Amino acid sequence: MRLSRYFLPILKEAPKEAEIVSHRLMLRAGMIRQQNAGIYTFLPLGLKVLKKIEEIVREEQNRSGAVELLMPTMQSADLWRESGRYDAYGKEMLRIVDRHERDMLFGPTAEEVVTDVFRTYVRSYRDLPLNLYNIQWKFRDEVRPRFGLMRGREFLMKDAYSFDVDQEGAIRAYYKMFVAYLRTYKRLGLTAIPMRADTGPIGGKLSHEFIILASTGESAVFCDKELLDLPVPGADVDFDGDLSPVVDSFTSRYAATDEMHDEAAFNALPAERRVAARGIEVGHIFSFGTKYSEPMGAKVAMADGVEKPVIMGSYGIGVSRLIGAIIEASHDDAGIIWPDSVAPFGVGIINLRPGEPAVEAACDTLYGALVAAGKDPLLDDTDARPGAKFASMDLIGLPWQIIVGPKGLADGVVELKRRATGEKQLLSLEAALARVTEKA
RNA sequence: CGGGGCAUAGCGCAGUCUGGUAGCGCACCUGCUUUGGGAGCAGGGGGUCGCAAGUUCGAAUCUUGCUGCCCCGACCA
């Protein structure tokens, strides 16, 4: 993409409503535009990041064996009356009456819809296990939306739902998601720590929040330092095999949010392993048995011919929230520092002297080669001054910058800069290209 | 939902206390000079001062009501 033909409204000063760093940087970098409290337009740059995160989430869900579908944003109140949640949910649910006076709602989650889909088609234990997921916009009419994308009212969520014949199968389904989540966050450049979560009135031990550490996190968290460096399974992990060693390696170490915190257990750790920090919740998984299958009649015939309600679990990742979370975890004074996996463009090329033939030619060569290599470059071909271009490129945080100017070209070199480290080196065009396109 | 704050040009702000018909920086447009870390000079465009009533000869400024947004707390991907 050539910047002169793109839509990237960069702001020098952040609007005053933005307080936390990720919100400020997203507004300044022209990624989002607030339309209402907790409701945002995703501008082109923000949309590119959202799509990249979404795709990584999707790949890891698929790898674990979950199957994607797409459920509607508008749901019928009748389904929610079946589960008993229509009255229970409260004001967070946005309720709408259509032209025929039918009660509708903007889905805050999709247990009811997915259970309805399941009961319509699945009749036999032989069709299980099954895990259905979708990546869809949700709406929760939060009392106090805040922190930009961290707590919006309209947000993009991946929500998966598992169906099993027995508790043993449900645990297996839970473990698959547990491992898929570890892999997902790892690929996003984040260190996420699973923490035991309150299961509420449903009970059961199977509930974890995935938390990333960031000073601006919403909740206080406590954990064993060893959790920060535990190995995460590779892409070759066998999801049909025994995942409990992996899960146990995480769950056997102390980790809790403040509401689940056990001071005594925490203090039993050696002092140097105690981590007390702030955290951002980026995922939540739990197993809830027959809470929905029972009242909604989602049953399968067992081998003996008797019908039994299925055991369910649900697994959420806040996809749009992750944009904010990644920025909270990865930025400096100059702006965002994108992990390579989610960067909106792979490489930024700065043309310091648009209109000068040698510089233009070098930029065109780089641009063409990077496009061919699939690196999706952004070429700043505008006539802004060098300082402004450097500042903008640092702000939007692309992993690599190639700076092309007449002085360097006179010596046959361009400057290659790594955004994360600030490291700069003077290289020939070919060497810079090779460096940027080599496999990480 | 309790507590606090803000609303003046696209963004950041001054002006409000003490009423006299709106200003600064950035951004934007034109021209010239400039060009390796947010350029300089000159000229220019853009605002029903959140909305509505009221007080007054006169309201951004005073009064009342409303709306929107932000922050702290309780709750959530």
Side-chain angles (χ1 to χ4, degrees):
Chain A
M1 180 59 68
R2 289 170 188 272
L3 185 56
S4 62
R5 298 178 198 170
Y6 199 46
F7 182 62
L8 184 63
I10 283 178
L11 301 175
K12 219 164 158 177
E13 291 173 289
K16 66 163 179 282
E17 71 264 15
E19 291 269 325
I20 67 163
V21 65
S22 63
H23 193 194
R24 295 176 64 82
L25 288 174
M26 276 187 275
L27 291 169
R28 290 228 294 129
M31 294 176 64
I32 54 172
R33 150 102 180 138
Q34 181 169 349
Q35 301 293 156
N36 283 289
I39 299 177
Y40 293 84
T41 290
F42 284 78
L43 299 173
L45 197 74
L47 181 63
K48 289 200 77 160
V49 177
L50 185 69
K51 291 291 182 188
K52 292 221 168 181
I53 296 172
E54 181 182 334
E55 190 52 31
I56 288 173
V57 170
R58 175 177 289 116
E59 285 173 11
E60 294 304 325
Q61 290 293 295
N62 291 345
R63 191 193 308 279
S64 79
V67 181
E68 186 173 16
L69 45 58
L70 185 60
M71 294 180 275
T73 55
M74 301 301 304
Q75 304 177 9
S76 150
D78 288 339
L79 269 184
W80 285 67
R81 291 192 176 106
E82 282 193 55
S83 71
R85 283 209 292 179
Y86 189 67
D87 294 321
Y89 213 92
K91 288 187 162 179
E92 269 201 0
M93 185 158 74
L94 181 65
R95 296 153 206 258
I96 300 157
V97 178
D98 75 8
R99 67 192 298 165
H100 300 293
E101 301 287 315
R102 287 179 291 231
D103 292 329
M104 308 287 289
L105 56 98
F106 197 126
T109 177
E111 280 84 1
E112 282 78 2
V113 175
V114 80
T115 302
D116 178 64
V117 169
F118 180 90
R119 71 180 175 186
T120 301
Y121 300 108
V122 183
R123 288 277 172 274
S124 163
Y125 76 99
R126 296 201 287 188
D127 293 325
L128 300 186
L130 180 64
N131 186 323
L132 298 173
Y133 78 97
N134 76 169
I135 300 173
Q136 177 64 290
W137 292 94
K138 303 296 189 294
F139 194 94
R140 293 183 190 174
D141 202 359
E142 297 274 351
V143 196
R144 179 148 105 88
R146 61 187 134 166
F147 302 151
L149 295 186
M150 304 295 291
R151 175 174 301 287
R153 290 196 291 169
E154 187 176 64
F155 59 96
L156 189 63
M157 180 167 88
K158 185 285 299 180
D159 41 321
Y161 304 90
S162 65
F163 304 87
D164 287 276
V165 289
D166 53 25
Q167 192 58 23
E168 193 181 314
I171 291 171
R172 216 161 20 239
Y174 187 88
Y175 282 12
K176 284 185 186 181
M177 283 293 112
F178 193 104
V179 172
Y181 276 34
L182 290 175
R183 283 195 42 76
T184 300
Y185 298 121
K186 178 83 172 178
R187 287 187 61 191
L188 294 172
L190 297 170
T191 300
I193 302 166
M195 300 194 178
R196 276 279 295 283
D198 193 357
T199 49
I202 308 153
K205 277 185 276 188
L206 294 180
S207 180
H208 286 88
E209 292 179 0
F210 285 76
I211 305 268
I212 64 161
L213 302 184
S215 57
T216 45
E218 282 192 271
S219 48
V221 298
F222 305 86
C223 72
D224 186 336
K225 194 171 197 299
E226 289 186 350
L227 284 165
L228 302 175
D229 300 309
L230 286 181
V232 168
D236 58 350
V237 60
D238 176 13
F239 277 96
D240 292 321
D242 183 9
L243 298 171
S244 59
V246 177
V247 174
D248 290 346
S249 72
F250 282 87
T251 56
S252 61
R253 290 175 167 84
Y254 187 82
T257 56
D258 50 0
E259 63 261 28
M260 297 287 285
H261 186 46
D262 177 348
E263 194 71 32
F266 184 61
N267 287 334
L269 286 174
E272 69 276 8
R273 273 168 57 187
R274 288 178 215 152
V275 175
R278 308 286 304 172
I280 300 169
E281 181 183 348
V282 289
H284 196 166
I285 62 179
F286 51 99
S287 189
F288 46 69
T290 58
K291 183 180 181 191
Y292 302 96
S293 56
E294 186 92 61
M296 294 185 67
K299 294 178 285 193
V300 293
M302 305 303 287
D304 59 8
V306 177
E307 288 193 326
K308 244 182 79 177
V310 290
I311 313 287
M312 293 175 59
S314 76
Y315 315 88
I317 291 181
V319 176
S320 47
R321 169 182 284 186
L322 273 166
I323 304 179
I326 290 168
I327 295 172
E328 291 293 331
S330 182
H331 67 272
D332 63 15
D333 290 344
I336 301 165
I337 301 171
W338 290 116
D340 295 73
S341 58
V342 298
F345 294 94
V347 184
I349 307 167
I350 296 179
N351 181 340
L352 288 175
R353 200 68 63 84
E356 187 160 313
V359 182
E360 292 278 3
C363 286
D364 287 346
T365 299
L366 284 168
Y367 185 81
L370 288 168
V371 169
K375 298 303 286 186
D376 196 15
L378 177 68
L379 170 57
D380 187 346
D381 57 344
T382 65
D383 59 4
R385 299 176 58 82
K389 292 188 177 190
F390 293 136
S392 295
M393 200 58 86
D394 285 349
L395 174 64
I396 67 173
L398 307 184
W400 295 100
Q401 298 174 12
I402 302 178
I403 298 153
V404 185
K407 290 183 187 170
L409 284 184
D411 297 328
V413 297
V414 295
E415 183 178 308
L416 179 67
K417 175 177 165 180
R418 181 72 177 164
R419 177 67 180 87
T421 61
E423 177 198 356
K424 299 173 186 174
Q425 43 187 324
L426 296 173
L427 299 170
S428 67
L429 278 190
E430 296 71 25
L433 274 172
R435 183 81 182 80
V436 165
T437 54
E438 77 191 10
K439 283 285 172 202

